[in-house]
């Protein structure tokens, strides 16, 4: 009798733990969704969003992350059967990549694989204020706009330039593409997928002798105009280059 | 090393940009499917051959389903008494002509209205034209599989398509759609980010510089990727610096209508011969529209 009772007891524990296990596995999809939502929210608060998307989407991403968190939390109380756990594996891998690896902005590898400086030509409205300010306050994107807008580069000769960007070697379209660095920044309109590199050429980029691609630098110098195959190019004749920490917002 | 790191950054950028739109798309479709009543759809039917197919192509504004979810909706429209050709117009049009997809396309291609318009107008033209052509078929029910015909006859007046929004059905629907869309998005984002950094620039530019090659390669790519139309604009964006708007329009119009997954789902409803006919018409019309966009000089 006692034996029998024990046996019975053991059996029900087994069923119960099996039931507990089910109850757990049915909640795994919801749990994965909680982590997806937390990833979106974490990107917002950590500022890592800006390595991936244009700041115009920060708030939208945060709100959708919050909504997802609500649904995911609700799904922990309403377990859904029939979602295969194997189908969650790809998403788990992505979450690990996103959470565990240090986020990095795009680098020279992308800059060299895309056409540099193809950004829309500046229009008069955008450009004319740029002509009135102290040239040393202009950023890389401003200079690219000016170059695209002004046909006659001679007015820039001798003007001072003082910009911060990263160093890369252009894949093509630059006068000194082989031997010299460009100093550049990416401009993103939607997200890093459409990043297009803006770059300014430096004539004597080995000024300090120990700079390499992807170093963030501050470059000071003077503009000069170089003729090559009937075309004129604006290049910086640098007199000061120094490594600086990567700015907190890496794109324009 | 930098190249590997950039591949990861672009991959995560697609995921981070697209995931909130997946959430929005699943939410909107779950909520609307609970509130839009089927009788409204029947009231929208007209006897005018042209108008009725144009309206069917635009029903996605009421049922914002991407191609993952619209075969079941198409089957329920057939059961409600829609003609075969109208159902096809709905099936082809809905994944493009709906609010969420238009919003993501506008987000991705903010600076190039020709891509946005090309997708919307092209999708509308293809979806309604294929339906109108099919409507001249003498016995269009013969295009359906026998099982579908039985379903339509049994189901004619029932209100089975109308689902009430219970918390359980909502959560269930949300999770199922969310995970199936995310898995396809992950594959698409992986391929897009890898081709961005590991295929030599000159090869891609060579392909992109011949219009018809560019269009065909974008169509093959979109069939392979099978990314949900809600977020495929962000994948297309990865190719926007090399490919012409015409080729991008081919990607954005063809992808939602034809891919491996959609074809296998279509075969549950249509006979193989009919599916082949639909695929052929869509392919030809997409090429035509993309060539027109290319020739307009964009």
């Amino acid at each position: 009798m006692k034996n029998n009772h024990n046996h019975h007891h053991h059996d029900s524990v087994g069923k119960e733990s099996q039931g507990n296990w089910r109850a757990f596995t049915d909640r795994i999809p919801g749990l994965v969704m909680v982590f997806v939502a937390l990833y979106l929210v974490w990107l917002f608060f950590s500022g890592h969003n800006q390595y991936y998307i244009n700041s115009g989407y920060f708030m939208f991403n945060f709100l959708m992350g919050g909504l997802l968190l609500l649904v995911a939390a609700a799904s922990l109380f309403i377990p859904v059967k029939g979602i295969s756990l194997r189908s969650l594996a790809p998403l788990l891998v992505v979450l690990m990549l996103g959470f565990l690896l240090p986020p990095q902005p795009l680098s020279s590898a992308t800059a060299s694989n895309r056409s540099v400086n193809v950004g829309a030509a500046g229009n008069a409205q955008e450009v004319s204020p740029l002509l009135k300010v102290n040239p040393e306050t202009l950023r890389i994107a401003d200079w690219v706009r000016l170059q695209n807008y002004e046909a006659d580069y001679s007015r820039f000769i001798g003007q001072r330039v003082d910009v911060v960007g990263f160093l890369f070697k252009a894949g093509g379209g630059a006068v000194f593409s082989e031997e010299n660095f460009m100093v550049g920044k990416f401009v993103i309109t939607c997200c890093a997928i459409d990043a297009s590199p803006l770059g300014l050429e430096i004539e004597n980029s080995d000024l300090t002798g120990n700079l390499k691609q992807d170093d963030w630098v501050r470059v000071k110098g003077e503009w000069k105009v170089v003729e090559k195959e009937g075309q004129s190019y604006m290049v910086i004749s640098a007199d000061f280059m120094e490594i600086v920490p990567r700015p907190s917002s890496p794109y324009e | 090393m930098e190249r590997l790191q950039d591949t990861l950054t672009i991959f995560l950028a697609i995921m981070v940009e697209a995931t909130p739109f997946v959430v929005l798309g699943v939410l909107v479709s779950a909520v609307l499917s609970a509130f839009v009543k089927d009788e409204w759809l029947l009231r929208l039917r007209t006897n005018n051959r042209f108008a009725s197919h144009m309206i069917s192509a635009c029903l996605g504004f009421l049922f914002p389903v991407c191609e993952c979810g619209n075969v079941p909706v198409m089957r329920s429209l057939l059961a409600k008494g829609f003609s075969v050709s109208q159902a096809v117009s709905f099936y082809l049009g809905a994944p493009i002509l709906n609010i969420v997809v238009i919003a993501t396309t506008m987000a991705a291609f903010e600076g190039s209205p020709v891509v946005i318009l090309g997708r919307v107008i092209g999708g509308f033209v293809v979806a309604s034209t294929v339906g109108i052509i099919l409507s001249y078929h003498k016995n269009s029910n013969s295009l359906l599989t026998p099982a579908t015909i039985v379903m339509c006859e049994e189901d004619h007046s029932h209100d089975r398509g109308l689902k009430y929004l219970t918390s359980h059905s909502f959560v269930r629907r949300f999770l199922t759609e969310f995970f199936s869309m995310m898995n396809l998005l992950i594959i698409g984002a992986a391929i897009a980010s890898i081709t961005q950094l590991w295929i030599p620039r000159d090869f891609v530019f060579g392909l992109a510089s011949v219009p018809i090659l560019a269009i065909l390669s974008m169509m093959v790519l979109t069939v392979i990727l099978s990314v949900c139309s809600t977020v495929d604009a962000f994948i297309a964006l990865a190719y926007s610096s090399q490919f012409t708007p015409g080729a991008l329009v081919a990607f954005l119009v063809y992808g939602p209508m034809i891919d491996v997954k959609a074809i296998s789902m279509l075969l549950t409803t249509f006979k193989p011969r009919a599916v082949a006919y639909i695929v052929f018409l869509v392919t030809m019309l997409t090429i035509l529209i993309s060539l027109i966009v290319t020739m307009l000089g964009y």
Side-chain angles (χ1 to χ4, degrees):
Chain A
M1 184 69 190
K2 198 181 175 191
N3 230 350
N4 221 348
H5 178 79
N6 260 349
H7 184 76
H8 180 249
H9 182 71
H10 180 83
D11 206 39
S12 75
V13 167
K15 260 184 194 157
E16 201 175 284
S17 75
Q18 207 177 24
N20 281 341
W21 178 245
R22 273 276 162 69
F24 175 66
T25 53
D26 285 348
R27 285 175 169 81
I28 289 180
L31 210 55
V32 173
M33 227 157 70
V34 168
F35 278 100
V36 175
L38 288 179
Y39 181 58
L40 291 177
V41 174
W42 174 69
L43 285 177
F44 181 81
F45 285 114
S46 66
H48 292 151
N49 256 351
Q50 59 193 350
Y51 295 148
Y52 303 120
I53 54 176
N54 187 309
S55 59
Y57 291 101
F58 287 1
M59 195 38 98
F60 175 69
N61 272 28
F62 174 67
L63 290 177
M64 287 298 138
L67 266 177
L68 187 64
L69 195 58
L70 284 180
V71 179
S75 76
L76 292 179
F77 296 99
I78 312 169
V80 170
K81 293 180 173 53
I83 292 176
S84 91
L85 294 187
R86 203 176 297 165
S87 72
L88 305 175
L91 200 50
L92 280 175
V93 173
V94 176
L95 281 172
M96 284 203 278
L97 291 174
F99 271 122
L100 300 180
L101 295 180
Q104 296 284 335
L106 292 175
S107 73
S108 59
T110 303
S112 312
N113 209 33
R114 297 188 178 180
S115 345
V116 183
N117 188 0
V118 286
N123 56 42
Q125 246 177 2
E126 279 176 338
V127 171
S128 55
L130 299 179
L131 292 167
K132 289 175 195 130
V133 299
N134 174 6
E136 280 178 286
T137 63
L138 295 178
R139 302 145 64 91
I140 291 176
D142 300 328
W143 282 116
V144 170
R145 237 176 246 137
L146 282 172
Q147 289 184 24
N148 287 339
Y149 180 72
E150 276 289 335
D152 177 21
Y153 290 161
S154 60
R155 68 181 295 171
F156 298 118
I157 295 175
Q159 280 195 3
R160 294 294 297 170
V161 52
D162 178 356
V163 291
V164 171
F166 70 96
L167 295 176
F168 67 97
K169 295 203 163 160
V175 222
F176 300 121
S177 59
E178 295 311 315
E179 52 275 37
N180 286 338
F181 289 126
M182 293 184 110
V183 58
K185 263 192 158 186
F186 285 101
V187 55
I188 65 172
T189 43
C190 171
C191 44
I193 315 160
D194 63 58
S196 66
L198 303 175
L200 306 175
E201 286 197 72
I202 310 170
E203 186 189 38
N204 45 343
S205 63
D206 54 351
L207 203 60
T208 66
N210 58 357
L211 295 172
K212 50 188 193 311
Q213 286 210 92
D214 294 306
D215 282 340
W216 281 84
V217 290
R218 180 169 185 189
V219 182
K220 294 190 204 178
E222 239 169 50
W223 282 115
K224 57 186 275 189
V225 173
V226 172
E227 299 284 335
K228 193 185 175 188
E229 288 159 14
Q231 278 226 294
S232 16
Y233 295 88
M234 279 173 73
V235 298
I236 300 173
S237 169
D239 46 43
F240 173 91
M241 284 175 84
E242 141 187 277
I243 294 191
V244 293
R246 188 172 69 209
S248 58
S249 58
Y251 309 130
E252 284 288 336
Chain B
M1 195 57 210
E2 267 77 32
R3 210 192 276 196
L4 210 60
Q5 179 62 56
D6 281 10
T7 312
L8 179 68
T9 298
I10 290 186
F11 172 76
L12 287 176
I14 298 176
M15 296 304 299
V16 171
E17 179 72 42
T19 303
F21 284 101
V22 171
V23 175
L24 180 71
V26 177
L27 273 178
V28 171
S29 97
V31 170
L32 273 183
S33 76
F35 290 109
V36 174
K37 298 220 165 55
D38 291 351
E39 303 93 79
W40 302 354
L41 297 181
L42 292 175
R43 222 175 289 161
L44 283 173
R45 285 192 305 163
T46 77
N47 288 326
N48 180 300
R49 189 193 295 270
F50 294 92
S52 69
H53 290 95
M54 288 176 185
I55 291 171
S56 301
C58 296
L59 286 182
F61 286 106
L62 298 175
F63 287 98
V65 281
C66 64
E67 65 270 35
C68 324
N70 75 341
V71 170
V73 179
M74 175 183 72
R75 288 167 66 91
S76 79
L77 289 182
L78 278 170
K80 292 279 153 339
F82 270 63
S83 74
V84 172
S85 54
Q86 286 166 342
V88 169
S89 280
F90 164 78
Y91 166 80
L92 297 174
I96 294 175
L97 301 166
N98 77 64
I99 303 161
V100 181
V101 173
I102 293 176
T104 51
T105 313
M106 285 170 72
F109 291 97
E110 202 192 317
S112 34
V114 61
V115 175
I116 304 166
L117 287 175
R119 178 176 216 188
V120 174
I121 297 171
F124 176 73
V125 170
V126 175
S128 14
T129 310
V130 173
I132 290 166
I133 293 174
L134 282 182
S135 73
Y136 286 97
H137 196 285
K138 285 194 191 77
N139 178 11
S140 59
N141 271 345
S142 70
L143 300 173
L144 299 173
T145 57
T148 313
I149 296 173
V150 172
M151 177 201 80
C152 295
E153 280 163 359
E154 276 177 354
D155 213 13
H156 236 302
S157 58
H158 287 256
D159 213 12
R160 220 161 100 189
L162 180 59
K163 293 179 195 78
Y164 295 96
L165 195 63
T166 66
S167 54
H168 186 267
S169 73
F170 173 78
V171 168
R172 184 187 178 77
R173 192 191 159 114
F174 191 98
L175 262 71
T176 320
E177 280 192 18
F178 181 77
F179 286 115
S180 68
M181 282 167 75
M182 288 303 280
N183 279 342
L184 289 168
L185 173 65
I186 290 169
I187 297 167
I191 294 179
S193 54
I194 290 167
T195 55
Q196 277 300 293
L197 281 134
W198 299 86
I199 293 184
R201 212 167 74 117
D202 296 339
F203 174 78
V204 180
F205 275 115
L207 205 62
S209 61
V210 185
I212 187 75
L213 270 186
I215 290 169
L216 290 177
S217 50
M218 277 288 122
M219 285 166 74
V220 171
L221 186 70
T222 189
V223 169
I224 296 171
L225 293 180
S226 297
V227 175
C228 188
S229 65
T230 307
V231 286
D232 63 356
F234 300 118
I235 307 283
L237 189 59
Y239 300 93
S240 62
S241 61
Q242 300 105 336
F243 284 86
T244 56
L248 296 173
V249 167
F251 182 99
L252 292 169
V253 169
Y254 199 62
M257 299 185 178
I258 310 288
D259 62 47
V260 182
K261 178 173 49 77
I263 287 174
S264 63
M265 286 182 82
L266 269 185
L267 286 169
T268 63
T269 309
F270 294 102
K271 287 183 181 159
R273 198 168 43 89
V275 173
Y277 190 46
I278 294 171
V279 171
F280 173 77
L281 286 176
V282 172
T283 308
M284 290 300 129
L285 285 168
T286 307
I287 294 175
L288 187 69
I289 285 168
S290 313
L291 279 176
I292 291 173
V293 173
T294 310
M295 274 182 227
L296 284 176
Y298 294 109

